[in-house]
């Protein structure tokens, strides 16, 4: 079955713009999480969504937001982009609780802010 | 505070050498533990996971890890590495009621023929 799909794969934006990234989870997975990966900070948790509800949020400014649709697809939005937002943004999906499950990651969206 | 520490940032080995990567965590309550691998240019892939039961878990490609609860550790091991194991390895933890993963900073492994 198809894996986690993230679009677009690469994106170049200028400071001050906003961007929307998309994630389609594995079929049947209802939990979607987002992570930011940078060389300096490593992998940092952004948000977790389940059944269209944000279940958990990381320590990122309000410029970072997300949502999940009824088909479990998710989007994240970053407004007023800063140079420091340049990173690989990863989406992961997993089956819902209460079973212990593993997260499956997409290939990521490489965002460059110039 | 919840955290994961990976002590080795960069490891260089020759083929056939043994590997052990350290991982310690700080997390209140029962945890699930994971090792992920990121090959150059590829996405994060699960190597192995521990949810409960036998603390010695075996994963793909000959990797194994041992959960030592008293030491809050989940070290990754492989008896004989190959050039194709060159990658970045991440230890991660989450609690039973969340999918939020807390990652270590990663260990870059380079294996030379």
């Amino acid at each position: 079955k198809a894996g986690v799909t993230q679009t677009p794969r690469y994106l170049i934006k200028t400071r001050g713009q906003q961007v929307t990234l998309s994630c389609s989870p594995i079929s049947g997975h209802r939990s979607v999480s987002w992570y930011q990966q940078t060389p300096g900070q490593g992998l940092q948790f952004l948000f977790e969504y389940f059944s269209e509800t944000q279940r958990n949020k990381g320590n990122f400014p309000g410029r970072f937001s997300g949502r999940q649709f009824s088909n479990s697809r998710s989007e994240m939005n970053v407004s007023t982009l800063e140079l420091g937002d340049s990173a690989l943004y990863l989406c992961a999906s997993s089956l819902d609780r209460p079973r212990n499950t593993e997260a499956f990651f997409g290939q990521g969206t490489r965002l460059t802010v110039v | 505070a919840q955290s994961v520490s990976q002590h080795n940032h960069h490891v260089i080995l020759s083929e056939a050498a043994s590997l052990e990567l350290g991982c310690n965590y700080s997390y209140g309550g029962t945890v699930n533990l994971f090792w992920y691998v990121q090959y150059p240019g590829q996405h994060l892939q699960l190597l192995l996971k521990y949810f409960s039961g036998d603390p010695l878990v075996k994963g793909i490609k000959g990797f194994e890890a041992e959960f030592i609860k008293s030491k809050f550790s989940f070290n990754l091991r492989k008896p004989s590495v190959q050039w194709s194991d060159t990658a970045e390895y991440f230890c991660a933890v989450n609690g039973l009621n969340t999918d939020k993963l807390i990652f270590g900073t990663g260990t870059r492994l380079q294996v030379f023929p």
Side-chain angles (χ1 to χ4, degrees), chain A residues 31 35 37 43 45 48 55-56 90 94 97 100-103 105-107, chain B residues 32 34 36 38 42-44 46 49 51 90 96-101 103:
Chain A
S31 174
Y35 295 84
Q37 186 176 19
L43 282 148
F45 171 77
E48 175 192 352
R55 200 157 61 178
N56 221 327
L90 296 171
S94 57
R97 299 189 305 245
N100 291 325
T101 60
E102 66 200 65
F105 284 82
Q107 293 213 296
Chain B
N32 299 320
F34 308 85
Y36 281 88
Q38 192 171 34
Q42 295 190 28
H43 63 285
L44 276 169
L46 184 70
K49 61 194 177 193
F51 291 152
F90 295 91
L96 294 186
N97 295 316
T98 176
D99 289 328
K100 171 186 174 182
L101 284 166
F103 283 90

Side-chain angles (χ1 to χ4, degrees), chain B residues 30-102:
Chain B
T30 305
V31 297
N32 299 320
L33 294 154
F34 308 85
W35 275 97
Y36 281 88
V37 62
Q38 192 171 34
Y39 297 104
Q42 295 190 28
H43 63 285
L44 276 169
Q45 301 171 41
L46 184 70
L47 265 182
L48 46 79
K49 61 194 177 193
Y50 173 80
F51 291 152
S52 64
D54 188 344
L56 184 61
V57 292
K58 295 191 184 299
I60 61 171
K61 304 185 181 185
F63 286 91
E64 64 178 32
E66 184 176 13
F67 171 48
I68 303 179
K69 190 174 181 180
S70 61
K71 294 185 178 180
F72 300 94
S73 70
F74 191 56
N75 293 353
L76 181 71
R77 299 194 291 251
K78 185 172 183 179
S80 176
V81 295
Q82 301 173 313
W83 175 80
S84 58
D85 293 325
T86 295
E88 190 148 18
Y89 293 80
F90 295 91
C91 181
V93 62
N94 69 7
L96 294 186
N97 295 316
T98 176
D99 289 328
K100 171 186 174 182
L101 284 166
I102 298 170

Side-chain angles (χ1 to χ4, degrees), chain A residues 39-42, chain B residues 4-12 19-23 35 87-90 103-110:
Chain A
Q41 300 295 319
Chain B
V4 175
S5 297
Q6 290 183 243
H7 316 297
N8 318 99
H9 297 294
H10 191 190
V11 174
I12 301 173
L19 171 72
E20 180 159 3
L21 301 182
C23 172
W35 275 97
E88 190 148 18
Y89 293 80
F90 295 91
F103 283 90
T105 50
T107 297
R108 184 177 167 216
L109 172 65
Q110 282 184 288

